[in-house]
Amino acid sequence: MNITFPDGAVRQYEQGSTALDIAKKISEGLARKILAAEVNGEVWDLSRPIKNDSSIKFLTWDDEKAKSTFWHSSAHLMAEAVEDAFPGVKFWVGPPIEKGFYYDIDLGDNVISESDLEKLEKKMNELSKQNNSFVRKEISKADAVKYFEEKGDEYKLDLLQGLEDGSITFYTQGNFTDLCRGPHIPSTGLIKGIKLTSIAGAYWKGDEKNKMLTRIYGVTFPNQKELDEYLVFLEEAKKRDHRKLGKELELFTFSEKVGAGLPLWLPKGAMLRERLQNFLQKAQIESGYLPVITPHIGSKSLYVTSGHYEKYGKDSFQPIKTPVEGEEFFLKPMNCPHHCEIYKASPRSYKDLPLRLAEFGTVYRYEQSGELHGLTRVRGFTQDDAHLFCMPNQVKDEFKKVIDLVLYVFNSLGFTDYTAQISLRDQNDKSKYIGSDTNWEIAEKSIIEASEEKGLKTVIEFGEAAFYGPKLDFMVRDAIGRKWQLGTIQVDYNLPERFDLTYIGEDNAKHRPVMIHRAPFGSMERFIAVLTEHCAGKFPMWLVPVQVKILPISDKFLSYAQNVLSKLKNNDIRAEIDDRSEKIGKKIRDTELSKVPLMLIIGEKEVNDKKVSVRRQGKGDEGVKDVQEVIAMIQDEVKHKKIAETTA
RNA sequence: GCCAGUGUAGCUCAGUUGGCCAGAGCAGCUGAUUUGUAAUCAGCUGGUCGGGGGUUCGAAUCCCUCCACUGGCUCCA
């Protein structure tokens, strides 16, 4: 039979050769390195015989598809260890995920806790040493059903129900056999760096009405070194955790008494947030946005009109009532209904469009208690919200302008790696969306074209659009490679309809405007959390709470230090003096830990020369400079929004 | 909301199987020291051991319940 390789080369092999046979004929080294093969575009076990002319591509650890296969096999290995430790348990599914794998298991009456993970890891290592092959076996549906009936595993039986006879396969390694479509790596011995990371409950089939299964998460690598590197990465992520840094840098706090998910911004955090807000506000005003301010509550009828009452009323904070009339008000869960009323406050002409209403609006949403997390998931937060009311043919241009704004924001803050996810309608079922077909087509086309013209890296997802319109979300990758969803731009056909928004067109007739929601940051809280983790708490000069710490070597130089301080302050530089009677080493250490970017050290020499000794956080001594020079340097960094060099 | 876990001083953490007035380091305060590029020394203050209830002669330790937090699940206008 003919085998075609990725470079186009075609070679002859005996019919029934396996991918491994073929690899071995090329080189033993290759055969050792590969984990799976892509045969005619489908990932196959290396040991599966190839019967016809095919194209083949060998997959190594560097391929995402090989990683998935590796982790899928690792899930089976873990299942074997679990079955060994808890005989009689039942398995649901064990897929690979972005970084590792999990398996959902019904442990029966057994309870497992984090301390058991180490034992399971140990068992997995043992099973890996046995180097058992993953053996694929095609099996009839009747036999498969019989096997799991005997085992009493209703979960696998449920899976089997949805499968066609003739397409069913089992995989066995060692003492563990599982219903599985595969593919798998050749044997368990390849799995060397093993770490079970956490335990969680997960509803069967993700439905909270179903029984909760135990989910065990893990990650594995082909060698110990890569596992060690991954563990270092986890440590680094822990160091950057915004909850930890937020406390250390005195940015924000929480109080049980105030309530869960309700952040309290401390002076340093509040000022940082304000600088960020002013930065965006300024850019928005330059881009033609008009600031508006709306109250924190709105009457029930507002949300009945918007449709949110019907959809989310029960899941929201319950209404507050006026004491006499009993009129109901809701805490506002979003700003758009208020903004729609502003739109309606006067008759609009096509000449007024696009109308861009912007507000840093604080909203309140009842998030389930288990869902709260630091600043990234809270019950009260401030959106950098704006609503653009425009004509359908203006959508594309507005998108382009918003993309410009978002990229300006990202670039100013050192986020250089981002992609745009475009969410469109489900092509097969257009009935679940509101708005006319023509408008959807215009909008979807506008978004795609706008992204293209702006040169965005994009991913298109069908069926991910909201019922009220398509959207574009920005995903950024932070300094240590993690993905976050930040800014969003969404088209909305629903609210203009519900609020009966209109404008008078050139033809002197009423028309319906399109509404676009957009938020470059997403929310101030979430954005600051991501920014903090991105820069590891070392904020750029223009944002950092304290820019300069003046460190006199002894009390004798305090008056000169005061003098320097007032010069800095006169130039709007945020500076403080460490006037404790500590040794200079201690003052430097404390300042380094507090991540203040610049230290000015003042001793006898500096006083005599009328200069300051400059030390940069994380870098060290930068020599003696004139105070004016330092001021100019800081002003330059602020003006150009220079990014601090993040040292790990 | 659900599963698993955690909750001891402002912070980080010790507190054997329930048993002497609950400990340490850092921070804070007071004093001494007047210091040259990542921790000067001494003393002192500070905790109804997350809240409430129970078991017990006796509870930080065991049980119940509520709250908060952590990791997930579900949800996300």
Side-chain angles (χ1 to χ4, degrees):
Chain A
M1 60 180 177
N2 288 319
I3 296 293
T4 312
F5 292 92
D7 62 357
V10 181
R11 283 193 230 172
Q12 288 260 325
Y13 292 92
E14 204 176 306
Q15 199 174 24
S17 295
T18 66
L20 191 63
D21 295 335
I22 294 169
K24 273 185 181 160
K25 283 193 180 141
I26 296 170
S27 89
E28 283 291 335
L30 176 68
R32 270 199 302 276
K33 249 181 87 179
I34 58 176
L35 297 169
E38 216 172 316
V39 178
N40 299 325
E42 199 180 309
V43 183
W44 277 34
D45 304 312
L46 289 178
S47 58
R48 187 166 164 190
I50 302 169
K51 289 174 180 156
N52 303 307
D53 289 356
S54 301
S55 68
I56 192 168
K57 184 186 170 200
F58 295 119
L59 300 176
T60 65
W61 176 247
D62 298 324
D63 285 284
E64 287 308 311
K65 285 175 184 168
K67 279 197 174 82
S68 296
T69 307
F70 189 86
W71 284 330
H72 184 192
S73 300
S74 302
H76 280 231
L77 183 66
M78 179 174 82
E80 189 181 359
V82 171
E83 194 167 55
D84 177 80
F86 306 99
V89 298
K90 297 166 194 172
F91 295 95
W92 171 232
V93 290
I97 50 177
E98 198 181 334
K99 193 80 201 182
F101 57 89
Y102 67 80
Y103 216 123
D104 282 347
I105 307 164
D106 182 351
L107 288 168
D109 295 330
N110 298 297
V111 178
I112 187 169
S113 67
E114 310 261 337
S115 56
D116 295 311
L117 294 182
E118 224 167 290
K119 279 180 251 167
L120 288 173
E121 279 170 19
K122 224 171 159 185
K123 186 70 193 173
M124 285 172 74
N125 277 308
E126 258 172 57
L127 294 169
S128 156
K129 286 212 183 74
Q130 289 176 13
N131 198 16
N132 297 313
S133 298
F134 285 91
V135 181
R136 180 175 191 271
K137 184 182 161 198
E138 288 174 16
I139 188 165
S140 71
K141 189 164 178 173
D143 286 347
V145 168
K146 199 171 149 228
Y147 177 86
F148 285 109
E149 271 176 355
E150 276 168 20
K151 219 178 161 186
D153 190 332
E154 66 266 31
Y155 302 103
K156 293 295 179 187
L157 288 169
D158 184 88
L159 268 183
L160 275 168
Q161 271 192 356
L163 298 180
E164 292 276 323
D165 197 6
S167 68
I168 297 170
T169 51
F170 274 14
Y171 275 84
T172 302
Q173 95 275 7
N175 293 318
F176 181 74
T177 296
D178 202 359
L179 169 69
C180 178
R181 93 164 67 85
H184 282 282
I185 58 174
S187 65
T188 60
L190 295 163
I191 303 168
K192 290 205 172 102
I194 298 171
K195 178 77 190 165
L196 299 185
T197 46
S198 66
I199 292 178
Y203 299 107
W204 183 42
K205 297 186 178 180
D207 186 336
E208 58 185 306
K209 284 181 216 82
N210 285 337
K211 183 169 180 179
M212 182 165 275
L213 306 176
T214 302
R215 174 173 297 180
I216 307 178
Y217 284 90
V219 64
T220 52
F221 298 90
N223 55 58
Q224 185 64 36
K225 189 174 152 255
E226 285 207 42
L227 171 62
D228 291 341
E229 280 167 11
Y230 179 66
L231 296 177
V232 168
F233 164 81
L234 289 184
E235 280 302 304
E236 181 60 34
K238 224 185 216 171
K239 269 193 249 165
R240 288 169 179 256
D241 193 318
H242 75 278
R243 292 166 300 180
K244 178 176 171 281
L245 288 169
K247 195 183 276 179
E248 284 172 9
L249 302 178
E250 296 168 4
L251 301 180
F252 59 87
T253 189
F254 288 91
S255 150
E256 269 188 44
K257 213 154 200 166
V258 172
L262 300 170
L264 302 173
W265 288 86
L266 304 175
K268 284 178 178 165
M271 286 190 290
L272 186 150
R273 172 174 155 170
E274 213 152 73
R275 277 189 285 280
L276 216 42
Q277 187 168 316
N278 291 341
F279 156 71
L280 181 57
Q281 179 83 292
K282 186 165 167 255
Q284 287 183 164
I285 287 173
E286 283 165 11
S287 312
Y289 287 72
L290 306 171
V292 295
I293 297 172
T294 65
H296 287 233
I297 60 174
S299 81
K300 178 176 165 184
S301 69
L302 181 66
Y303 301 108
V304 169
T305 300
S306 73
H308 294 106
Y309 177 75
E310 194 190 0
K311 199 153 189 243
Y312 296 102
K314 304 164 289 302
D315 304 323
S316 295
F317 283 114
Q318 288 309 290
I320 41 184
K321 291 182 188 172
T322 55
V324 180
E325 305 82 350
E327 200 187 335
E328 293 183 332
F329 289 84
F330 280 86
L331 282 168
K332 81 172 163 187
M334 80 296 295
N335 304 300
C336 22
H338 290 78
H339 290 186
C340 285
E341 286 302 305
I342 291 179
Y343 182 93
K344 285 189 85 164
S346 45
R348 305 291 176 179
S349 143
Y350 72 97
K351 292 176 186 166
D352 300 330
L353 304 184
L355 179 71
R356 310 183 186 92
L357 303 179
E359 173 174 20
F360 289 88
T362 305
V363 298
Y364 300 89
R365 296 178 185 178
Y366 175 77
E367 301 289 352
Q368 295 188 68
S369 58
E371 205 38 64
L372 302 171
H373 179 95
L375 285 185
T376 59
R377 205 61 198 269
V378 286
R379 282 178 174 165
F381 58 97
T382 302
Q383 295 178 311
D384 54 325
D385 212 357
H387 297 96
L388 319 178
F389 300 90
C390 63
M391 297 185 275
N393 64 5
Q394 292 172 322
V395 169
K396 179 174 163 186
D397 232 37
E398 285 309 296
F399 256 80
K400 284 168 76 172
K401 285 189 179 138
V402 178
I403 291 171
D404 280 339
L405 184 67
V406 172
L407 298 191
Y408 169 63
V409 167
F410 285 1
N411 290 328
S412 299
L413 288 153
F415 292 108
T416 49
D417 189 351
Y418 40 79
T419 50
Q421 180 182 312
I422 300 176
S423 300
L424 305 179
R425 275 187 300 184
D426 183 342
Q427 297 298 294
N428 302 317
D429 181 11
K430 294 184 177 170
S431 63
K432 56 186 174 187
Y433 303 98
I434 187 170
S436 74
D437 228 30
T438 336
N439 277 341
W440 270 85
E441 270 158 33
I442 296 172
E444 295 191 337
K445 195 161 161 267
S446 303
I447 297 177
I448 293 169
E449 285 178 3
S451 312
E452 262 171 26
E453 285 168 34
K454 287 293 162 190
L456 285 180
K457 265 197 283 179
T458 54
V459 188
I460 293 182
E461 299 281 354
F462 292 97
E464 286 294 304
F467 75 92
Y468 51 81
K471 62 177 178 174
L472 187 160
D473 292 316
F474 287 88
M475 324 289 285
V476 303
R477 216 173 253 283
D478 73 8
I480 58 172
R482 294 171 301 177
K483 273 193 207 158
W484 302 86
Q485 197 224 299
L486 289 178
T488 178
I489 319 177
Q490 309 188 359
V491 179
D492 189 339
Y493 296 113
N494 183 39
L495 288 180
E497 197 73 40
R498 285 182 162 271
F499 279 89
D500 192 25
L501 305 183
T502 56
Y503 64 89
I504 306 298
E506 261 178 304
D507 56 0
N508 200 27
K510 276 187 180 181
H511 297 276
R512 185 79 71 212
V514 180
M515 183 172 169
I516 300 172
H517 310 250
R518 44 101 283 172
F521 291 147
S523 84
M524 301 308 291
E525 286 75 7
R526 185 176 161 80
F527 190 81
I528 289 173
V530 174
L531 180 63
T532 303
E533 306 213 356
H534 177 61
C535 69
K538 295 169 190 176
F539 294 104
M541 194 61 89
W542 67 282
L543 282 175
V544 72
V546 178
Q547 296 167 315
V548 179
K549 198 98 176 185
I550 302 170
L551 310 179
I553 283 175
S554 93
D555 295 354
K556 284 186 274 183
F557 316 115
L558 261 177
S559 68
Y560 179 71
Q562 293 288 359
N563 192 322
V564 172
L565 179 71
S566 56
K567 277 188 190 155
L568 295 176
K569 290 205 158 168
N570 287 340
N571 285 279
D572 293 322
I573 289 169
R574 302 183 288 276
E576 290 176 353
I577 294 183
D578 186 345
D579 60 2
R580 298 173 303 169
S581 65
E582 289 289 351
K583 290 169 74 170
I584 192 67
K586 169 75 166 166
K587 291 186 184 183
I588 287 170
R589 179 183 157 78
D590 288 349
T591 312
E592 285 279 345
L593 292 175
S594 68
K595 304 189 197 320
V596 172
L598 279 184
M599 284 157 260
L600 302 183
I601 294 160
I602 289 168
E604 197 173 349
K605 277 185 291 194
E606 288 77 8
V607 173
N608 290 339
D609 300 347
K610 299 221 179 321
K611 293 199 179 238
V612 292
S613 199
V614 179
R615 182 187 163 104
R616 196 172 284 264
Q617 200 270 351
K619 296 182 85 176
D621 201 346
E622 291 197 338
V624 178
K625 286 191 167 71
D626 211 79
V627 179
Q628 279 311 321
E629 268 181 86
V630 174
I631 291 171
M633 179 175 82
I634 295 168
Q635 286 175 336
D636 181 67
E637 283 180 41
V638 168
K639 191 176 162 201
H640 296 103
K641 299 197 165 52
K642 283 196 183 153
I643 306 301
E645 289 176 40
T646 46
T647 43

